[in-house]
Amino acid sequence: DAGVTQSPTHLIKTRGQHVTLRCSPISGHKSVSWYQQVLGQGPQFIFQYYEKEERGRGNFPDRFSARQFPNYSSELNVNALLLGDSALYLCASSLGQGIDTQYFGPGTRLTVL
Amino acid sequence: KQEVTQIPAALSVPEGENLVLNCSFTDSAIYNLQWFRQDPGKGLTSLLLIQSSQREQTSGRLNASLDKSSGRSTLYIAASQPGDSATYLCARGNSGYSTLTFGKGTMLLVSP
């Protein structure tokens, strides 16, 4: 079975640009979460979606937005990129009910110049 | 604010040693505690999940314990191998929706 997949694997943008990151969850998983991991730090929670509805949001500015599609895949959008947005962006999927192990994808490495 | 702290930040051991990684958290109203492994530049691999009602979980050479009253979890690795070299992250589950708060990780190097 395929695990969580993310695209692209690497991305280079300049300040002020916009970026869209994509995630496909494990088959049967209805919840997708996004995390940002800056070099040398642990991942920080950005969003969680379940059944296409936002179920949680971390402490990130409104430049960050996300959505989940009917097939449970998800997009993370970041507008007006800043140098500090350079990070590994991780997507995690889970069944979305009860005590739930999170399964992480390989991440998208975003570099903002 | 819910925080997770991991000590030590880095650890270097010779192959074959048993070792313990530490994780502490604020707020004992924890939902679950999960340990992950991360290889350089890669995503996270789940190692063990301990529910709040449990005290420990085991998988192969790994054993994780949870003490909610003291706000601590430990990951015990028996007979370490060079392939165990990676960063180990602990994360507390904050609700039934399984959002996670991570520590900064412990970077482990096992030398042959």
Side-chain angles (χ1 to χ4, degrees), chain A residues 35 37 40-43 45 48 55 88 90 97-102 104-106 109, chain B residues 31-32 34 36 38 41-44 46 49 51 89 96-100 102-104:
Chain A
Y35 291 81
Q37 186 177 26
Q41 303 291 317
F45 171 69
Q48 185 180 84
R55 198 159 68 174
L88 181 67
L90 296 163
Q97 298 174 356
I99 299 169
D100 218 357
T101 299
Q102 302 276 297
F104 282 79
R109 171 71 63 188
Chain B
Y31 195 77
N32 57 42
Q34 201 163 350
F36 294 88
Q38 185 173 33
K42 304 295 185 182
L44 308 181
S46 178
L49 170 69
Q51 301 172 18
L89 295 153
Y97 301 144
S98 300
T99 60
L100 298 171
F102 285 85
K104 292 183 180 180

Coordinates of all heavy atoms in Angstrom, one line a residue, chain A residues 35 37 40-43 45 48 55 88 90 97-102 104-106 109, chain B residues 31-32 34 36 38 41-44 46 49 51 89 96-100 102-104:
Chain A
Y35 N 2.3 20.3 9.0 CA 3.3 20.8 9.9 C 4.4 21.5 9.2 O 4.8 21.1 8.1 CB 3.9 19.6 10.7 CG 2.9 18.9 11.7 CD1 2.0 18.0 11.2 CD2 2.9 19.2 13.0 CE1 1.1 17.4 12.1 CE2 2.0 18.6 13.9 CZ 1.1 17.7 13.4 OH 0.2 17.1 14.3
Q37 N 8.5 22.4 9.7 CA 9.7 22.1 10.4 C 10.9 22.9 10.0 O 11.4 22.7 8.9 CB 10.0 20.6 10.4 CG 11.2 20.2 11.3 CD 11.5 18.7 11.2 OE1 11.3 18.0 10.3 NE2 12.1 18.2 12.3
G40 N 16.6 22.3 12.6 CA 17.0 22.2 14.0 C 15.9 22.2 15.0 O 16.1 22.2 16.2
Q41 N 14.6 22.3 14.5 CA 13.5 22.4 15.4 C 12.6 21.2 15.2 O 12.7 20.5 14.1 CB 12.7 23.7 15.2 CG 13.5 24.9 15.3 CD 13.9 25.2 16.8 OE1 13.1 25.0 17.7 NE2 15.1 25.6 17.0
G42 N 11.6 21.0 16.1 CA 10.6 20.0 15.9 C 9.5 20.5 15.0 O 9.4 21.8 14.9
P43 N 8.7 19.7 14.4 CA 7.6 20.2 13.5 C 6.6 21.0 14.4 O 6.4 20.7 15.5 CB 7.0 18.9 13.0 CG 8.1 17.9 13.1 CD 8.9 18.2 14.3
F45 N 2.6 22.5 14.3 CA 1.3 22.2 13.7 C 0.8 23.5 13.0 O 0.8 24.6 13.6 CB 0.3 21.8 14.8 CG -1.1 21.7 14.4 CD1 -1.5 20.7 13.5 CD2 -2.0 22.6 14.9 CE1 -2.9 20.7 13.1 CE2 -3.4 22.5 14.6 CZ -3.8 21.6 13.7
Q48 N -5.3 21.1 10.6 CA -5.8 19.8 10.4 C -7.2 19.9 9.8 O -8.0 20.7 10.1 CB -5.9 19.1 11.8 CG -6.4 17.6 11.6 CD -6.5 16.9 12.9 OE1 -7.5 17.0 13.6 NE2 -5.5 16.2 13.3
R55 N -10.4 21.4 11.2 CA -10.7 21.0 12.6 C -9.7 21.6 13.6 O -10.0 21.5 14.8 CB -10.7 19.4 12.6 CG -11.4 18.9 13.8 CD -11.7 17.4 13.6 NE -10.6 16.5 13.5 CZ -10.7 15.2 13.5 NH1 -11.9 14.6 13.5 NH2 -9.6 14.5 13.3
L88 N 10.9 22.5 6.0 CA 10.4 21.3 5.5 C 8.9 21.2 5.9 O 8.6 21.4 7.1 CB 11.1 20.1 6.1 CG 10.7 18.7 5.7 CD1 11.0 18.4 4.2 CD2 11.4 17.6 6.6
L90 N 5.6 19.2 6.3 CA 5.2 17.8 6.4 C 3.7 17.6 6.4 O 3.0 18.4 7.1 CB 5.8 17.2 7.7 CG 7.3 17.1 7.8 CD1 7.8 17.0 9.2 CD2 7.8 16.0 7.0
Q97 N -10.3 9.4 13.8 CA -11.2 9.1 14.8 C -10.5 8.5 16.0 O -9.7 7.6 15.9 CB -12.3 8.1 14.3 CG -13.1 8.7 13.2 CD -14.1 7.6 12.6 OE1 -14.0 6.5 13.0 NE2 -14.9 8.0 11.7
G98 N -10.8 9.0 17.2 CA -10.3 8.4 18.4 C -8.8 8.5 18.5 O -8.2 9.4 18.0
I99 N -8.2 7.5 19.2 CA -6.8 7.4 19.4 C -6.2 7.0 18.0 O -6.4 6.0 17.5 CB -6.4 6.4 20.4 CG1 -7.1 6.8 21.8 CG2 -4.9 6.3 20.6 CD1 -7.1 5.8 22.8
D100 N -5.4 7.9 17.5 CA -5.1 7.9 16.1 C -3.6 8.1 15.8 O -3.1 9.2 16.1 CB -5.9 9.0 15.4 CG -6.4 8.7 14.1 OD1 -6.2 7.6 13.6 OD2 -7.2 9.5 13.5
T101 N -2.9 7.1 15.3 CA -1.5 7.3 14.9 C -1.4 8.2 13.7 O -2.2 8.0 12.7 CB -0.9 5.9 14.6 OG1 -1.0 5.1 15.8 CG2 0.5 6.1 14.2
Q102 N -0.5 9.1 13.7 CA -0.3 10.0 12.5 C 0.8 9.3 11.7 O 1.9 8.9 12.2 CB 0.2 11.3 13.0 CG -0.7 12.1 14.0 CD -1.8 12.8 13.2 OE1 -1.5 13.7 12.4 NE2 -3.0 12.4 13.4
F104 N 3.3 10.1 8.6 CA 3.9 11.3 7.9 C 4.4 11.0 6.5 O 4.9 9.9 6.3 CB 5.0 11.9 8.7 CG 4.5 12.7 9.9 CD1 4.1 12.1 11.0 CD2 4.5 14.1 9.8 CE1 3.6 12.9 12.1 CE2 4.0 14.9 10.8 CZ 3.6 14.3 12.0
G105 N 4.3 11.9 5.6 CA 4.9 11.8 4.3 C 6.3 12.3 4.3 O 6.8 12.7 5.4
P106 N 7.0 12.2 3.2 CA 8.4 12.6 3.1 C 8.7 14.1 3.2 O 9.9 14.5 3.5 CB 8.9 12.0 1.8 CG 7.6 12.1 1.0 CD 6.5 11.8 1.9
R109 N 10.5 20.3 0.8 CA 11.6 21.2 1.2 C 11.4 22.5 0.4 O 11.6 22.6 -0.8 CB 13.0 20.7 1.0 CG 14.1 21.7 1.2 CD 14.3 22.0 2.7 NE 14.7 20.8 3.5 CZ 14.8 20.9 4.8 NH1 14.5 22.0 5.5 NH2 15.1 19.8 5.4
Chain B
Y31 N -3.1 13.4 25.9 CA -4.0 12.4 25.2 C -3.3 11.2 24.9 O -3.7 10.1 25.1 CB -4.7 13.1 24.0 CG -5.8 12.3 23.5 CD1 -7.1 12.4 24.1 CD2 -5.7 11.5 22.4 CE1 -8.1 11.6 23.7 CE2 -6.8 10.8 21.9 CZ -8.0 10.9 22.6 OH -9.1 10.1 22.1
N32 N -2.1 11.3 24.3 CA -1.2 10.2 24.0 C 0.2 10.8 23.8 O 0.4 12.0 23.7 CB -1.6 9.4 22.8 CG -1.8 10.2 21.5 OD1 -1.0 11.1 21.2 ND2 -2.8 10.0 20.8
Q34 N 3.8 10.0 21.4 CA 4.3 9.3 20.3 C 5.7 9.6 20.1 O 6.2 10.7 20.2 CB 3.5 9.7 19.0 CG 3.5 8.7 17.9 CD 2.4 9.0 16.9 OE1 1.5 9.7 17.1 NE2 2.4 8.3 15.8
F36 N 8.9 9.3 17.4 CA 9.2 9.2 15.9 C 10.7 9.2 15.7 O 11.5 9.7 16.5 CB 8.6 10.5 15.2 CG 7.2 10.6 15.2 CD1 6.5 11.3 16.2 CD2 6.4 10.1 14.1 CE1 5.1 11.4 16.2 CE2 5.0 10.3 14.1 CZ 4.4 10.9 15.1
Q38 N 13.5 10.4 12.6 CA 13.6 11.2 11.4 C 15.1 11.1 10.9 O 16.0 11.4 11.6 CB 13.3 12.6 11.7 CG 13.3 13.5 10.4 CD 12.8 14.9 10.6 OE1 13.0 15.5 11.7 NE2 12.1 15.5 9.6
G41 N 16.8 15.1 6.5 CA 16.1 15.6 5.3 C 14.9 14.8 5.0 O 14.3 15.1 3.9
K42 N 14.5 13.9 5.8 CA 13.4 13.0 5.5 C 12.2 13.3 6.4 O 12.2 14.1 7.3 CB 13.8 11.5 5.7 CG 15.0 11.2 4.9 CD 14.8 11.2 3.4 CE 16.0 10.7 2.6 NZ 15.8 10.8 1.1
G43 N 11.1 12.6 6.1 CA 9.9 12.7 6.9 C 10.0 11.9 8.2 O 11.1 11.4 8.5
L44 N 8.9 11.7 8.9 CA 8.9 11.1 10.2 C 8.4 9.7 10.1 O 7.4 9.4 9.4 CB 8.1 11.9 11.2 CG 8.3 13.4 11.3 CD1 7.4 14.0 12.4 CD2 9.8 13.6 11.7
S46 N 6.8 6.7 12.5 CA 6.3 6.5 13.8 C 6.9 5.2 14.4 O 7.0 4.2 13.8 CB 4.8 6.3 13.8 OG 4.2 6.0 15.1
L49 N 3.4 4.4 20.0 CA 2.4 5.3 20.4 C 1.9 4.8 21.8 O 1.6 3.6 21.9 CB 1.2 5.3 19.4 CG -0.1 6.0 19.9 CD1 0.1 7.5 20.0 CD2 -1.2 5.7 19.0
Q51 N -0.9 5.4 24.7 CA -2.1 6.0 25.0 C -2.0 6.5 26.5 O -1.3 6.0 27.3 CB -3.3 5.0 24.9 CG -3.4 4.5 23.5 CD -4.5 3.4 23.4 OE1 -5.3 3.2 24.3 NE2 -4.4 2.6 22.3
L89 N 12.3 12.1 17.9 CA 11.3 13.1 18.3 C 10.2 12.5 19.1 O 9.7 11.5 18.8 CB 10.7 13.8 17.1 CG 11.7 14.6 16.2 CD1 11.2 14.7 14.8 CD2 11.9 16.0 16.8
G96 N -8.5 14.5 21.1 CA -9.0 13.3 20.3 C -8.7 13.5 18.9 O -8.9 12.5 18.1
Y97 N -8.4 14.7 18.4 CA -8.2 14.9 17.0 C -6.7 14.7 16.6 O -6.3 14.9 15.5 CB -8.6 16.2 16.6 CG -10.1 16.5 16.8 CD1 -10.6 17.7 17.2 CD2 -11.0 15.4 16.7 CE1 -11.9 17.9 17.5 CE2 -12.3 15.6 16.9 CZ -12.8 16.9 17.3 OH -14.1 17.1 17.6
S98 N -5.9 14.3 17.6 CA -4.5 13.9 17.4 C -3.6 15.0 16.8 O -2.7 14.6 16.0 CB -4.5 12.7 16.4 OG -5.2 11.6 17.0
T99 N -3.8 16.2 17.1 CA -2.8 17.2 16.7 C -1.6 17.0 17.7 O -1.8 16.6 18.8 CB -3.3 18.6 16.8 OG1 -3.7 18.9 18.1 CG2 -4.5 18.9 15.9
L100 N -0.4 17.2 17.2 CA 0.8 16.9 18.0 C 1.6 18.1 18.3 O 1.8 19.0 17.4 CB 1.6 15.9 17.2 CG 1.0 14.6 16.8 CD1 1.8 13.8 15.9 CD2 0.8 13.8 18.1
F102 N 5.5 18.8 19.3 CA 6.8 18.1 19.2 C 7.8 18.8 20.1 O 7.8 20.0 20.3 CB 7.3 18.1 17.8 CG 6.6 17.1 16.9 CD1 5.5 17.5 16.2 CD2 7.2 15.9 16.6 CE1 4.8 16.6 15.4 CE2 6.6 15.0 15.8 CZ 5.4 15.3 15.1
G103 N 8.8 17.9 20.6 CA 10.0 18.5 21.1 C 11.0 18.7 19.9 O 10.7 18.5 18.8
K104 N 12.2 19.2 20.3 CA 13.2 19.6 19.2 C 13.9 18.3 18.8 O 14.6 18.4 17.8 CB 14.1 20.6 19.7 CG 13.5 22.0 20.0 CD 14.6 23.0 20.4 CE 13.9 24.3 20.6 NZ 14.9 25.4 21.0

